């Protein structure tokens, strides 16, 4: 005799989307119908398998007093029950669809609730789950409602017949793994739980179940046409437009259109027999025309970012204020678009995008990336058995979000290969909503999509695409191009953003892109600061690849975001400072410049000596004007470096930024600085142990610098090593040269310094050395030549490569230690870090900081904190002037210690501050998942000479 014991959990491995749930419908935040939030403290029992416990806990009267308590929304693994798992694309379980491991953590959740005293006694009720990972089975008062999959999608159940005034028992069994997990292999933490809102909604007789707001805009006539389709009859009112029409009827009136730059929303209501639903209506039309994505008749340029939902303590359980903080940060950094990678966000986020103005590519909760490891064999999107689940996910996204004007694209998902299921999704979406466009990057021939989309295309290929020289199918060649992911923001970087933006602005076909990604997914950890993949004992993980955002886990902007803000600024400011004229260009797609105020300032050696308002016309999009600057101040001292700085600021408070918030800026050089000079008038003198030259003392045997005046200096020597960035190291799958690995292969992290000669002559101390790695023939012949005028000390470093150098250098300069240093002041680029291909946002000026504030707190420590184009710096009692300008870095640990650290907490400040003065730095690029630095940003091993002038600060 044979029998099965697993029938009760067969739904876990069923490819169907679930059973019992109501059809999907439009989401709205509130109405005059009653609602009850069931968020809060729930009871949790965690089991190791899907079938470890029976369902007796679902019955009224069950005693769960010994169970743990967890917050809902929340993930149980972030509340002390189990551990999170991070993989980029590999499934953390055997690939055998639709089967999942027997070891399947399962959380039984219980919430007992009473209805409010004023809860209506008539009508029906709906129980809504906005997000549960990855599979849930639901009971109310002992009656099973159904099961569902689709973690980042809403599911509703009719429950009115089951409710009672008090003691309602809501039971939810949540499985970490299910057949649905095969469709949710996004690059993120695997975090089971009820992580979005749970809400009970009263449904009065005659209430709205679903409605569809159609609000188009005719850019020729300036009129908008509104029609609201509803499943029940009602009326639509928009007081500001004097609209009062029946549902299903169209009305055309003069309107202000909605765009991401001018997000005009009209408040209205949908009123039916049983409910009054607020509407926020934005009139806009999205079309594919002349091979371009056009909104309201104009081609748009996406300046976007990919956004995973993340909070360092709550995971994907985001509250409204955290979502608002994201949107405000985006707007204040000139972003105009979001791709909701790789699932629909919390619905309230789209309300914020409507309100503040962001274009949205709304992406379905679908990724099967792990199947790439088996050449996409058995991929669910090309298996008809899975198509109902795919269509269910598409419908739940589109129906939920269809009334948001911010949504201009529906995306089928991400990195799921190709197949019949995707085609079915595209056909359904095109049929349901023909007024938006469809996106999917994996559709390389654009069979099902309305845009040619790529990830991480190199600059030269992007230019070919812009010039329509890229080949491909006829349909693809006629479509616009976007990069749905580029500029991988992992660690220090990304580099090359300005070079991409120049291409986007040069070719109409290139309609911008979306940086990967918005936020580092670090998990706050008491010992590690922020944890990443592998820090929770995962057998399979992808390390800190989950920390690849433009903001740090605590939502502090990274230098990458500051760089991106500058690169995509919507006002161009350039010109010739010497002739006193500035050219201002409006780079907005829709807005004129009337909302901006302009100001000028005049700097002498980095210090502002005069400033004032600048009158700039309210230029229309695409227009430019030559604007005359005032006469420069007459009392500037001669022999100084001077420049104009022109800024564009918000003229008044807006919904997302305060008055005087900086939108754009430009610098216009007037006169260059004179190079520092030191007359070699002092003669070196030697004793048994020391050589004296001007204010300095050197070791008589080695020629090593010991002191400058009263300042001790240690271990000054040529330095070529930097702690490789994530972009230096590159991604494992990269076929191009990964320079971080090559640098280690060739021993650049362990250079040896051979002293060849210490020479004294009438006006100089010269130290000759060879700097080279063990085991290789290559080296750097290095000459340190010291001269002085008695008070100042000049070091000239001459470097000549020896042997066949086949790799660029990480850096080239000198490093030394200071025993006492805290405050830092410099004239050069700032206020933040910059490297050769990340210095668009580096503003020339006079800056000050502390050594600790110079550090950039990347989640995984790496090269950081360099200030570019430095003329002079004062630190630890020393003033150093450069010829030519240089990069400056200072840390309380060595580069070697920085390189060895895996978390910020591994770095222990020492007694010495290590200073790097660099003649050159290798570019950054974004090879952690994209191209490395462009050739013009390579630091090649070539003959070089550079000088520094040291003096004591008194």
């Amino acid at each position: 005799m044979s029998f099965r014991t697993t029938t009760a959990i067969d739904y876990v491995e069923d490819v169907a989307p679930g059973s019992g749930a109501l059809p999907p419908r439009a989401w709205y935040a509130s109405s005059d119908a009653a609602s009850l939030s069931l968020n809060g403290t729930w009871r949790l029992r965690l089991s190791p398998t899907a079938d470890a416990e029976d369902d007796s806990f679902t019955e009224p009267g069950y005693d769960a007093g010994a169970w743990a308590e967890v917050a809902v929304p929340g993930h149980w693994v972030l509340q002390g029950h189990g551990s999170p798992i991070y993989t980029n694309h590999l499934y953390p379980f055997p690939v055998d669809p639709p089967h999942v491991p027997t070891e399947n953590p399962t959380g039984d959740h219980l919430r007992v609730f009473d209805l409010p005293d004023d809860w209506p006694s008539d009508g029906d009720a709906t129980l809504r789950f906005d997000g549960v990972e990855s599979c849930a089975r639901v009971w109310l008062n002992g009656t099973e409602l159904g099961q569902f999959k689709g973690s980042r999608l809403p599911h509703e159940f009719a429950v009115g017949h089951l409710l009672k005034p008090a003691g309602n028992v809501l039971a939810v069994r949540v499985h970490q793994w299910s057949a649905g997990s095969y469709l949710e292999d996004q690059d993120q933490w695997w975090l089971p739980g009820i992580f979005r809102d749970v809400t009970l909604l009263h449904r009065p007789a005659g209430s709205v179940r679903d409605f569809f707001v159609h609000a188009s805009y005719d850019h020729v006539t300036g009129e908008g046409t509104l029609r609201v389709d509803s499943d029940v009859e009602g009326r639509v009112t928009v007081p500001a437009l004097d609209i009062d029409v029946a549902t299903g009827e169209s009305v055309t009136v003069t309107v202000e259109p909605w765009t991401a730059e001018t997000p005009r929303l009209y408040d209205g209501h949908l009123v039916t027999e049983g409910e009054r639903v607020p509407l926020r209506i934005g009139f806009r039309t999205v079309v594919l025309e002349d091979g371009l994505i056009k909104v309201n008749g104009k081609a748009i340029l996406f300046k976007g970012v990919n956004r995973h939902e993340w909070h360092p303590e709550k995971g994907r359980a985001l509250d409204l204020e955290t979502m608002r903080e994201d949107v405000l940060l985006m707007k204040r950094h000139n972003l105009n678009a979001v791709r909701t990678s790789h699932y629909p966000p919390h619905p309230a986020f789209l309300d914020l995008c409507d309100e503040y103005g962001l274009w949205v590519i709304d992406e379905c909760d679908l990724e099967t990336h792990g199947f790439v490891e088996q050449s996409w064999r058995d991929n669910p999107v090309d298996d008809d058995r899975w198509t109902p689940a795919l269509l269910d996910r598409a419908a739940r996204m589109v129906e939920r979000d269809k009334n948001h004007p911010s949504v201009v694209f529906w995306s089928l998902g991400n990195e799921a290969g190709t197949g019949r299921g995707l085609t079915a999704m595209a056909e359904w979406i095109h049929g349901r909503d023909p007024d938006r466009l469809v996106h999917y990057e994996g559709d390389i021939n654009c069979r099902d999509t309305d845009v040619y989309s790529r990830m991480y295309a190199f600059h030269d290929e992007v230019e070919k695409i812009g010039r329509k020289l890229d080949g491909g199918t006829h349909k693809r060649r006629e479509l616009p191009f976007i990069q749905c992911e580029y500029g991988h923001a992992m660690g220090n970087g990304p580099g090359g953003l300005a070079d991409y933006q120049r291409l986007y602005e040069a070719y109409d076909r290139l309609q911008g892109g979306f940086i990967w990604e918005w936020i580092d997914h670090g998990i706050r950890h008491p010992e590690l600061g922020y944890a990443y993949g592998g820090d929770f004992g995962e057998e399979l993980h992808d390390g800190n690849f989950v920390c690849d955002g433009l903001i740090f886990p605590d939502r502090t902007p990274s230098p990458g975001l500051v760089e991106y803000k500058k690169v995509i600024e919507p006002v161009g400011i350039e010109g010739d400072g010497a002739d006193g004229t500035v050219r201002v260009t409006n780079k907005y797609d829709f807005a004129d410049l009337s909302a901006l105020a302009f100001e000028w300032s005049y700097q002498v050696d980095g210090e502002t000596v005069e400033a004032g308002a600048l009158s700039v016309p309210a230029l229309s999009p695409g227009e430019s004007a030559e604007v005359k600057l005032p006469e420069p101040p007459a009392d500037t001292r001669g022999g100084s470096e001077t420049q104009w700085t022109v800024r564009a600021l918000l003229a008044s408070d807006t919904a997302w930024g305060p008055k005087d918030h900086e939108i754009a800026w430009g610098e216009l050089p007037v006169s260059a600085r004179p190079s520092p000079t030191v007359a070699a008038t002092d003669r070196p003198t030697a004793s048994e142990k020391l050589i004296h030259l001007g204010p300095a003392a050197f070791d008589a045997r080695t020629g090593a610098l010991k002191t400058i005046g009263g300042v001790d200096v240690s271990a000054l020597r040529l330095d070529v090593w930097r702690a490789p960035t994530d972009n230096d190291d590159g991604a494992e799958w990269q076929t191009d040269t990964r320079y971080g690995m090559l640098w280690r292969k060739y021993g650049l992290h362990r250079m040896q310094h051979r002293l060849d000669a210490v020479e004294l002559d009438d006006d100089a101390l010269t130290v000759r050395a060879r700097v080279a790695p063990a085991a290789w023939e290559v080296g750097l012949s290095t000459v340190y030549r010291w001269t002085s005028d008695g008070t100042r000390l000049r070091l000239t470093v001459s470097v000549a490569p020896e042997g066949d150098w086949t790799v660029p250098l990480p850096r080239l300069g000198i490093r030394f230690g200071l025993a006492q240093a805290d405050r830092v002041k410099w004239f050069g680029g700032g206020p933040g870090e910059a490297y050769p291909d990340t210095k668009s946002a580096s503003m020339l000026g006079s800056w000050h900081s502390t050594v600790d504030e110079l550090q950039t707190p990347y989640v995984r420590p790496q090269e950081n904190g360099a200030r570019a184009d430095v003329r002079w710096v004062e630190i630890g009692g020393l003033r150093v002037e450069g010829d030519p300008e240089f990069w400056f870095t200072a840390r309380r640990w060595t580069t070697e210690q920085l390189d060895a650290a895996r978390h910020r907490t591994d770095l222990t400040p020492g007694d010495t501050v290590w200073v790097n003065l660099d003649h050159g730095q290798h570019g950054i690029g974004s090879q952690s998942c994209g191209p490395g630095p462009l050739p013009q940003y390579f630091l090649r091993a070539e003959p070089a000479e550079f000088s520094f002038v040291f003096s004591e600060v008194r």
Side-chain angles (χ1 to χ4, degrees), residues 427-767:
E427 290 175 348
W428 185 89
I429 292 173
H430 275 124
R432 176 60 174 144
D433 184 17
D435 296 327
R436 289 183 176 91
L437 305 179
V438 171
H439 167 273
Y440 178 64
E441 178 269 340
D443 185 8
I444 194 68
N445 292 320
C446 303
R447 180 181 64 179
D448 302 320
T449 58
D450 299 310
V451 62
Y452 177 29
S453 177
R454 288 283 303 282
M455 295 180 180
Y456 309 107
F458 287 29
H459 297 76
D460 56 353
E461 183 183 6
V462 171
E463 183 166 20
K464 284 183 180 179
I465 294 170
R467 298 172 64 191
K468 298 187 176 181
L469 300 176
D470 55 304
T473 63
H474 175 76
K475 179 184 179 183
R476 193 181 86 181
R477 294 197 306 272
E478 297 302 311
L479 291 179
F481 174 81
I482 64 170
Q483 286 218 82
C484 65
E485 295 180 20
Y486 82 107
H488 198 249
M490 185 178 178
N492 187 333
L497 297 184
D499 306 278
Y500 275 120
Q501 196 65 26
R502 281 191 284 269
L503 294 172
Y504 296 155
E505 294 179 3
Y507 299 98
D508 290 342
R509 187 189 183 194
L510 308 180
Q511 293 198 248
F514 297 78
I515 298 297
W516 186 267
E517 65 158 308
W518 176 238
I519 187 168
D520 285 341
H521 300 204
I523 294 177
R524 199 180 302 279
H525 191 282
E527 284 85 38
L528 303 176
Y530 291 107
Y532 49 77
D535 288 334
F536 297 97
E538 305 103 301
E539 290 181 340
L540 194 67
H541 66 86
D542 287 284
N544 67 310
F545 200 71
V546 76
C547 294
D548 47 12
L550 291 172
I551 60 176
F552 297 126
D554 65 357
R555 285 181 158 74
T556 300
S558 77
L561 181 58
V562 177
E563 174 80 357
Y564 194 38
K565 176 189 177 183
K566 174 61 179 171
V567 164
I568 61 175
E569 60 188 11
V571 181
I573 300 172
E574 56 189 4
D576 183 354
D579 73 3
T581 301
V582 60
R583 183 176 181 83
V584 178
T585 303
N586 181 352
K587 295 185 178 184
Y588 284 112
D589 293 325
F590 297 94
D592 64 23
L593 299 188
S594 59
L596 303 182
F598 289 79
E599 66 177 29
W600 62 268
S601 58
Y602 192 78
Q603 285 83 39
V604 177
D605 289 338
E607 301 284 354
T608 296
V609 297
E610 200 166 321
L614 184 67
S615 179
V616 175
L619 301 170
S620 297
E623 286 188 339
S624 297
E626 300 284 343
V627 179
K628 191 67 177 175
L629 292 163
E631 289 296 317
D635 59 348
T636 58
R637 50 190 184 272
S640 299
E641 181 171 4
T642 58
Q643 68 169 22
W644 299 97
T645 299
V646 175
R647 291 178 169 86
L649 314 171
L650 286 180
S652 57
D653 292 345
T654 71
W656 51 265
K659 181 180 184 295
D660 296 329
H661 169 75
E662 185 177 86
I663 299 294
W665 56 271
E667 294 177 317
L668 290 70
V670 177
S671 61
R673 73 167 183 137
S675 297
T677 59
V678 175
T681 57
D682 202 59
R683 180 186 182 92
T685 60
S687 64
E688 181 180 349
K689 293 185 178 180
L690 295 175
I691 297 171
H692 292 275
L693 176 62
F698 302 81
D699 184 280
R701 184 180 63 84
T702 64
L705 179 66
K706 305 291 286 184
T707 61
I708 299 176
V711 179
D712 293 336
V713 181
S714 60
L716 186 149
R717 61 185 188 179
L718 191 78
D719 192 18
V720 301
W721 181 241
R722 73 183 187 198
T725 67
D726 293 312
N727 286 306
D728 288 337
D729 284 337
E732 292 181 5
W733 57 87
Q734 291 279 359
T735 56
D736 285 358
T737 303
R738 297 168 62 189
Y739 290 103
M741 297 185 68
L742 274 182
W743 292 338
R744 292 188 195 279
K745 173 183 175 181
Y746 286 106
L748 301 192
H749 60 309
R750 48 175 174 77
M751 300 289 274
Q752 299 184 16
H753 297 251
R754 187 185 74 203
L755 177 63
D756 288 339
V758 177
E759 302 169 353
L760 276 68
D761 54 34
D762 288 345
D763 62 355
L765 164 64
T766 302
V767 179

Side-chain angles (χ1 to χ4, degrees), residues 339-340 342-344 360-366 394 397-398 407-414 422 425 429 437-441 449 453 484:
R339 176 179 174 229
T340 69
H342 298 295
Y343 42 83
V360 175
I361 295 181
D362 198 359
E363 191 149 273
C364 198
D365 190 9
L366 172 63
M397 170 181 70
V398 172
V407 176
V408 293
F409 265 94
W410 302 116
S411 180
L412 303 182
N414 182 69
L422 290 166
M425 292 171 71
I429 292 173
L437 305 179
V438 171
H439 167 273
Y440 178 64
E441 178 269 340
T449 58
S453 177
C484 65

Side-chain angles (χ1 to χ4, degrees), residues 147-455:
Q147 315 95 26
F148 63 87
K149 307 178 189 75
S151 297
R152 269 67 72 175
L153 295 162
H155 294 83
E156 293 182 327
F157 299 91
V159 297
H161 60 296
L162 298 174
L163 289 173
K164 52 187 182 180
N168 292 283
V169 177
L170 177 56
V172 186
R173 174 163 285 169
V174 180
H175 308 284
Q176 173 155 18
W177 309 123
S178 69
S181 301
Y182 285 98
L183 303 181
E184 297 173 4
D185 189 26
Q186 295 100 338
D187 176 11
Q188 61 180 343
W189 294 96
W190 299 87
L191 298 173
I194 305 172
F195 67 94
R196 286 187 185 159
D197 305 292
V198 183
T199 312
L200 183 67
L201 304 168
H202 181 237
R203 300 286 78 211
S207 62
V208 178
R209 202 201 72 78
D210 192 21
F211 64 95
F212 197 162
V213 176
H214 302 272
S216 62
Y217 178 72
D218 186 330
H219 65 279
V220 176
T221 65
E223 294 177 322
T225 299
L226 174 66
R227 185 185 83 246
V228 178
D229 297 330
S230 173
D231 65 313
V232 295
E233 293 183 358
R235 297 197 69 78
V236 176
T237 62
V238 186
L241 297 174
D242 199 25
I243 289 175
D244 185 348
V245 297
T247 54
E249 293 184 6
S250 295
V251 59
T252 299
V253 294
T254 300
V255 299
E256 298 174 36
W258 187 98
T259 74
E261 296 165 7
T262 56
R264 180 65 164 96
L265 292 172
Y266 291 91
D267 290 324
H269 282 92
L270 167 59
V271 183
T272 69
E273 176 189 352
E275 190 174 18
R276 183 180 180 88
V277 178
L279 305 176
R280 304 209 76 191
I281 302 166
F283 291 87
R284 58 105 185 94
T285 297
V286 185
V287 297
L288 183 63
E289 183 179 83
D290 303 323
L292 297 173
I293 305 159
K294 292 185 178 180
V295 178
N296 302 338
K298 289 187 176 183
I300 60 175
L301 184 63
F302 291 119
K303 302 171 181 178
V305 68
N306 287 272
R307 175 186 175 269
H308 267 300
E309 294 184 301
W310 188 251
H311 186 281
E313 295 166 347
K314 300 175 183 177
R316 286 187 286 278
L318 266 60
D319 59 83
L320 180 62
E321 287 313 305
T322 299
M323 292 184 261
R324 190 186 307 275
E325 185 179 355
D326 280 348
V327 171
L328 293 178
L329 274 172
M330 291 175 187
K331 293 292 291 187
R332 291 169 184 168
H333 287 85
N334 293 332
L335 277 75
N336 71 0
V338 177
R339 176 179 174 229
T340 69
S341 55
H342 298 295
Y343 42 83
H346 189 290
F349 179 77
L350 298 179
D351 283 345
L352 297 170
C353 293
D354 294 342
E355 177 182 352
Y356 293 103
L358 289 168
W359 308 117
V360 175
I361 295 181
D362 198 359
E363 191 149 273
C364 198
D365 190 9
L366 172 63
E367 181 167 336
T368 63
H369 199 174
F371 285 91
V372 71
E373 297 295 321
Q374 53 201 60
S375 302
W376 297 106
R377 186 177 64 256
D378 298 328
N379 185 9
V381 305
D382 200 28
D383 183 335
D384 291 338
R385 295 174 300 167
W386 294 80
T387 299
L390 304 184
L391 290 173
D392 179 76
R393 288 170 184 248
R396 291 187 182 279
M397 170 181 70
V398 172
E399 301 297 2
R400 191 196 77 169
D401 297 341
K402 59 182 178 281
N403 295 325
H404 290 284
S406 57
V407 176
V408 293
F409 265 94
W410 302 116
S411 180
L412 303 182
N414 182 69
E415 292 176 318
T418 57
R420 291 162 287 175
L422 290 166
T423 298
M425 292 171 71
E427 290 175 348
W428 185 89
I429 292 173
H430 275 124
R432 176 60 174 144
D433 184 17
D435 296 327
R436 289 183 176 91
L437 305 179
V438 171
H439 167 273
Y440 178 64
E441 178 269 340
D443 185 8
I444 194 68
N445 292 320
C446 303
R447 180 181 64 179
D448 302 320
T449 58
D450 299 310
V451 62
Y452 177 29
S453 177
R454 288 283 303 282
M455 295 180 180

